[in-house]
Amino acid sequence: MKRKTTIDGVVVTPLGLIENQLGTLLHMFRCDESVFSRFGEVYFSEILPGVLKAWKRHKLQTQNFVVPAGNIRVAIYDSREQSPTRGMIEHFDLGRPGGYFRLTIPPMLHYGFQCLGDVPALLANCTDIPHDPAEGEIVSEDVVGVRFPVAR
Amino acid sequence: MKRKTTIDGVVVTPLGLIENQLGTLLHMFRCDESVFSRFGEVYFSEILPGVLKAWKRHKLQTQNFVVPAGNIRVAIYDSREQSPTRGMIEHFDLGRPGGYFRLTIPPMLHYGFQCLGDVPALLANCTDIPHDPAEGEIVSEDVVGVRFPVAR
C-alpha cells in the first residue's frame, strides 16, 4: 500500500477558530467560499469510544467533514480506476487541538473513521446532495482488501 | 412580560435521531425540506459552563439552531413593533435527551443563550446568509429592558 500526503481530489481546508471568554466559535462552511458548490444536507454522526467503521463509499455525494467535539481518525483509500493516486491510503486525525479543519472527500473514494480517545466524538458533515441510501454503500475491509490504519 | 408557547415566526422542527451500535446519527437540515430557503453558513459556537449571553439580534439573518452536544437554554424576546406577539418572551432548552430539535429564529427578534450543566455545550447554526457583522448586534439586557430567564 502506497502512502502519500494527498489523494487526488481530497482537500484539507484550514478553518477559523475564534476564542473569547464565552467559548470558541468554530467555522465550518460558507456559501461564499470559492470551493463551495451547493448545499445538500448538514448532519452529525456521534461516534462512541472504541468504534471503528470502514469502509464507506458514495457514488455521487461529496463529504465535508469537521470534528467540533472529541477526536476522530478518518482514513481514505483510493480504489478509483482512473485515479493518479490509485492504491494510496491516507489518514487524518480530526479534532481539537490541532485538527480543526475541513476534510473534503469526493465521490468514489473509500473512507472510514475511528473514534480516538475515551469520550464520544462528533463528526459534522455538510454534503452537496441530501442523503440518498441508493448512492452510498458500506463495504467490509475484507471485500475491499485494505485495512483501516487503526490508531492504538 | 407576557409568556406564551410561540412567538410569531419562531419554529420548532422535530429532527431525526437514529441510534445504532456505533453511535447516534443526528439530522440537522436538508435542502429538500419544504421549510428550507437557502444556505448561508454553518458554524458552531461552543459555550462554556456558566456562560450567559443576551441579547443578540440580526436584522437580516435567520438562525437555525440545534444542540448536538451538551445543553443550552435559548430565550427569545419579541420587540418587533408590528408583531402580534410583541412583548412576549419564550425559552427553549436544547440538547439531549428530549431537546434535540431545530429552533428557527427569524430576523429582528432578540435572543440569548445560557450553557446548562457543567460541560461545554455546542450550538450549531445553519443560517440563510453568511455572517456579516454589519447586520448583527449585541445589546445589553439593560438597554433592551428585559432579563434573560435564567435556569438555576
Side-chain angles (χ1 to χ4, degrees):
Chain A
M1 201 71 53
K2 290 174 277 187
R3 178 168 286 274
K4 190 169 176 288
T5 49
T6 306
I7 288 176
D8 188 55
V10 172
V11 178
V12 169
T13 305
L15 294 173
L17 274 178
I18 303 165
E19 315 236 5
N20 65 35
Q21 75 278 17
L22 305 180
T24 303
L25 188 90
L26 302 97
H27 288 165
M28 181 169 180
F29 219 152
R30 289 171 62 111
C31 67
D32 52 1
E33 291 185 60
S34 62
V35 295
F36 177 76
S37 60
R38 58 184 170 173
F39 173 71
E41 179 173 5
V42 59
Y43 70 88
F44 307 98
S45 190
E46 185 181 58
I47 305 171
L48 300 178
V51 165
L52 167 63
K53 191 169 185 177
W55 299 97
K56 299 186 71 171
R57 184 167 70 165
H58 288 269
K59 294 174 183 166
L60 301 173
Q61 188 185 59
T62 293
Q63 319 303 313
N64 289 288
F65 288 154
V66 307
V67 175
N71 291 270
I72 294 172
R73 171 167 292 187
V74 178
I76 306 172
Y77 168 64
D78 186 356
S79 61
R80 297 170 301 184
E81 292 202 356
Q82 303 300 322
S83 173
T85 52
R86 178 174 164 82
M88 288 180 180
I89 187 165
E90 186 173 12
H91 71 261
F92 302 87
D93 290 343
L94 282 76
R96 290 174 281 165
Y100 192 70
F101 53 83
R102 192 173 66 226
L103 179 62
T104 301
I105 306 176
M108 296 309 291
L109 289 168
H110 288 95
Y111 66 88
F113 41 77
Q114 177 191 10
C115 182
L116 305 175
D118 54 7
V119 295
L122 201 67
L123 182 72
N125 191 9
C126 185
T127 66
D128 58 343
I129 56 174
H131 175 66
D132 172 5
E135 67 83 35
E137 60 183 4
I138 299 174
V139 193
S140 74
E141 291 182 306
D142 288 341
V143 168
V144 176
V146 175
R147 299 283 155 218
F148 184 98
V150 176
R152 304 291 178 187
Chain B
M1 199 70 54
K2 289 173 279 187
R3 177 169 286 274
K4 192 170 174 285
T5 51
T6 306
I7 289 176
D8 188 55
V10 172
V11 179
V12 169
T13 305
L15 294 173
L17 274 176
I18 302 164
E19 314 237 6
N20 65 34
Q21 75 280 17
L22 305 179
T24 302
L25 188 90
L26 303 96
H27 288 165
M28 182 170 180
F29 219 152
R30 289 172 63 112
C31 66
D32 52 3
E33 290 184 63
S34 61
V35 295
F36 177 77
S37 60
R38 58 183 170 176
F39 173 71
E41 179 173 5
V42 58
Y43 70 87
F44 306 99
S45 190
E46 186 181 58
I47 305 171
L48 300 178
V51 164
L52 167 63
K53 190 169 186 177
W55 298 98
K56 301 187 69 170
R57 186 167 69 165
H58 288 268
K59 294 175 185 164
L60 302 172
Q61 190 185 59
T62 293
Q63 320 302 312
N64 288 289
F65 289 153
V66 306
V67 175
N71 291 270
I72 294 171
R73 171 167 292 188
V74 178
I76 306 172
Y77 168 62
D78 187 357
S79 61
R80 297 170 300 184
E81 292 203 356
Q82 303 301 322
S83 173
T85 52
R86 178 174 165 81
M88 287 180 181
I89 187 166
E90 186 173 12
H91 72 261
F92 303 87
D93 291 343
L94 281 76
R96 290 175 282 165
Y100 191 71
F101 54 83
R102 191 172 68 226
L103 179 62
T104 300
I105 306 176
M108 295 309 291
L109 288 167
H110 287 95
Y111 67 88
F113 41 78
Q114 177 191 10
C115 183
L116 305 176
D118 54 7
V119 297
L122 200 67
L123 182 72
N125 191 8
C126 185
T127 66
D128 59 342
I129 57 174
H131 175 66
D132 173 5
E135 66 83 34
E137 61 182 4
I138 298 174
V139 192
S140 75
E141 292 181 305
D142 288 341
V143 167
V144 176
V146 175
R147 298 284 155 218
F148 185 97
V150 176
R152 304 292 178 187

